[in-house]
């Protein structure tokens, strides 16, 4: 869990996603709603345990396959392109019992899973995302923010980072060898990143702290995939902390020359999940800090002068989206980008206020994306709203509502209801242009940030 999210730990409850939105039984209804919205694409995630309950491919669950076939076929019948994420955090327990993403054998497990997925659905799916937010996956092995809460900072998280990169690359090459010539799909990965502003713009230390934040959250994955190895300053800093602390263990593993060749260039597009911006500054105290925090040597804080617009951690900072896209352009050679997540939750007290929050947020961020495309030349080819429905949120359960459609979680049927912001999204998807709502976007006498 990033440091600025720690204050929200109390939201977590003993709840499950066993039913969640009840999407398993509502394929026809949900695709009908998507068609009415006139969306061009729909991103969803596969469940590894649902397809391969044993983790490996000795048994493929026919009920799981049947469900995803129904969903994919229904989307295509309605001219909606499926964008499919292969792994979105739900790991078969039998693999976690072996160490999960800390065990190098997970690369083989993931490759077997990917082969089943490509073989089963790849004749119809043309956009694949291997792993969603590997940064969040790795953090759960370094602290207690999510399953499996291993709390092995500076060791478990680095092992998970290393193996997610290799697993992604191995799946990419598998697709190239066995499926691409027949299926003609594209493969990417979804990386999450806030935009980091120096807390003190006149401080060189804070500027460098913002750089380190970008490297430790994003570059630690993107550099290997674009250049074949970890960022040099990340590798150097881990070595320095080892020497300072008297640690002999090789905590951040080296890629072999063959592995560098394997991982470099394994992206047809880059997925970006982005919600807001934060301040970065040099770590103020090194006492009793986890190893990875010592390695990265920065701390984050919310931008206090910007008020909350919702009950989560999100503060509306659309300029950060444009800065992020331009930084990726300059750092990684302007790759094709699909913004795979961007959104804001409702306050849940007043429908008119919720609609204003959501419309204002998306108008600002989409304006920033358009500026990045048409003024800065960023190669953005797609944008997915988080999210179609209110859903189970990892840190917040059912309290936080990101959906375009409201789901009544107290209703056994999980009925869907339109929100007042729906018309904005309908116009957006139907016209493929940003709705002209600027005159309506006044909040506390302040017009939307541009």
């Amino acid at each position: 869990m990033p440091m600025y999210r720690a204050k929200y730990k109390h939201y977590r409850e003993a709840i499950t996603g066993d039913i969640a939105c009840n999407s398993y039984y509502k394929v026809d209804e949900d695709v009908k709603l998507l068609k009415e919205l006139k969306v061009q694409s729909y991103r969803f995630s596969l469940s590894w345990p649902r397809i391969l309950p044993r983790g490996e491919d000795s048994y493929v669950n026919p009920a799981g396959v049947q469900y995803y076939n129904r969903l994919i076929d229904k989307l295509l019948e309605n001219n909606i392109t499926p964008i499919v994420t292969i792994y979105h955090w739900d790991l078969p327990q039998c693999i976690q019992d072996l160490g999960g993403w800390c065990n190098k054998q997970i690369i083989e497990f993931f490759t077997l899973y990917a082969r089943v997925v490509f073989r089963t659905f790849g004749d119809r799916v043309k956009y694949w995302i291997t792993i969603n937010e590997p940064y969040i996956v790795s953090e759960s092995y370094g602290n207690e923010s999510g399953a499996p809460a291993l709390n092995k900072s500076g060791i478990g998280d680095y092992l998970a980072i290393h193996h997610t990169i290799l697993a992604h690359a191995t799946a990419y090459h598998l697709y190239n060898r066995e499926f691409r010539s027949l299926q003609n799909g594209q493969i990417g990965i979804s990386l999450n990143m806030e935009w980091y502003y120096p807390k003190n713009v006149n401080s060189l230390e804070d500027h460098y702290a913002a750089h380190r934040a970008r490297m430790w959250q994003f570059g630690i994955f993107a550099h290997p995939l674009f250049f074949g190895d970890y960022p040099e300053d990340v590798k150097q800093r881990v070595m320095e902390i080892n020497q300072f602390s008297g640690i002999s263990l090789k905590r951040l593993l080296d890629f072999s020359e063959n592995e560098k060749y394997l991982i470099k260039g394994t992206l047809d597009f880059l997925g970006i999940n982005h919600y807001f911006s934060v301040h970065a500054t040099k770590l103020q105290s090194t006492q009793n800090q986890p190893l990875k925090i010592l390695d990265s040597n920065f701390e984050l804080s919310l931008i206090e002068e910007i008020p909350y617009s919702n009950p989560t951690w999100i503060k509306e900072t659309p300029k950060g989206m444009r800065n992020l896209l331009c930084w990726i352009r300059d750092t990684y050679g302007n790759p094709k980008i699909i913004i795979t997540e961007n959104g804001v939750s409702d306050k849940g007290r007043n429908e008119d206020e919720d609609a204003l929050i959501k419309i204002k947020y998306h108008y600002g961020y989409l304006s920033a994306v358009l500026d990045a495309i048409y003024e800065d030349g960023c190669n953005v080819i797609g944008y997915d709203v988080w999210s179609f429905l209110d859903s189970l949120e990892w840190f917040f359960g059912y309290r936080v509502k990101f959906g375009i459609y409201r789901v009544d979680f107290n209703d056994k049927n999980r009925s869907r209801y339109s929100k007042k912001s729906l018309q904005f999204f309908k116009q957006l998807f139907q016209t493929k242009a940003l709705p002209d709502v600027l005159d309506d976007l006044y909040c506390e006498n302040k017009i939307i940030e541009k």
Side-chain angles (χ1 to χ4, degrees), residues 242-449:
N242 266 12
Q243 292 170 359
F244 179 79
S245 304
I247 299 172
S248 301
L249 179 70
K250 183 74 175 178
R251 294 188 291 119
L252 182 64
L253 299 179
D254 293 325
F255 291 114
S256 69
E257 291 305 313
N258 284 339
E259 287 172 338
K260 291 177 183 179
Y261 180 78
L262 174 79
I263 62 182
K264 183 178 179 180
T266 51
L267 290 171
D268 300 316
F269 65 89
L270 178 61
I272 298 296
N273 296 353
H274 175 77
Y275 291 88
F276 64 108
S277 302
V278 293
H279 277 147
T281 190
K282 184 180 177 181
L283 192 65
Q284 300 302 299
S285 173
T286 59
Q287 282 197 326
N288 301 317
Q289 294 286 4
L291 262 179
K292 193 180 176 205
I293 301 298
L294 292 176
D295 291 338
S296 57
N297 193 28
F298 69 85
E299 59 186 39
L300 304 176
S301 58
L302 293 166
I303 302 174
E304 295 301 332
E305 57 267 30
I306 297 176
Y308 286 105
S309 59
N310 64 95
T312 65
W313 63 93
I314 295 174
K315 291 195 172 191
E316 186 181 321
T317 48
K319 286 182 180 178
M321 172 71 90
R322 184 176 181 181
N323 292 336
L324 170 59
L325 294 172
C326 289
W327 178 79
I328 293 171
R329 176 202 63 194
D330 295 341
T331 307
Y332 299 108
N334 207 13
K336 285 196 296 186
I337 289 175
I338 297 176
I339 296 167
T340 43
E341 288 183 24
N342 175 243
V344 70
S345 62
D346 304 330
K347 281 189 175 180
R349 294 193 294 266
N350 180 287
E351 285 191 42
D352 290 327
E353 183 183 14
D354 286 343
L356 182 62
I357 288 170
K358 198 171 288 288
I359 293 169
K360 185 171 180 284
Y361 178 94
H362 282 281
Y363 186 95
Y365 277 82
L366 284 164
S367 295
V369 172
L370 289 173
D371 288 344
I373 294 170
Y374 292 108
E375 295 185 21
D376 306 322
C378 297
N379 193 10
V380 181
I381 65 169
Y383 175 93
D384 291 324
V385 175
W386 186 270
S387 58
F388 168 46
L389 302 171
D390 290 341
S391 60
L392 175 67
E393 291 291 331
W394 185 258
F395 295 106
F396 302 100
Y398 297 110
R399 295 171 181 259
V400 174
K401 318 291 188 183
F402 277 88
I404 294 174
Y405 283 91
R406 180 172 69 85
V407 176
D408 184 355
F409 293 105
N410 295 315
D411 176 4
K412 184 178 180 181
N413 190 46
R414 300 299 198 269
S415 298
R416 285 85 160 105
Y417 300 94
S418 61
K419 298 182 181 181
K420 285 197 172 183
S421 57
L422 180 67
Q423 289 307 119
F424 170 83
F425 291 105
K426 274 191 173 180
Q427 188 177 344
L428 173 68
F429 296 137
Q430 290 174 6
T431 65
K432 312 299 186 292
L434 191 58
D436 184 13
V437 294
L438 192 62
D439 289 342
D440 300 326
L441 293 178
Y442 282 88
C443 183
E444 296 179 1
N445 298 319
K446 292 183 180 179
I447 203 160
I448 186 169
E449 179 190 5

Side-chain angles (χ1 to χ4, degrees), residues 118-132:
F118 294 146
R119 186 175 62 224
T120 306
F121 309 117
D123 58 325
R124 289 152 292 156
V125 174
K126 304 305 175 187
Y127 290 92
W128 294 103
I129 295 163
T130 54
I131 300 170
N132 180 75

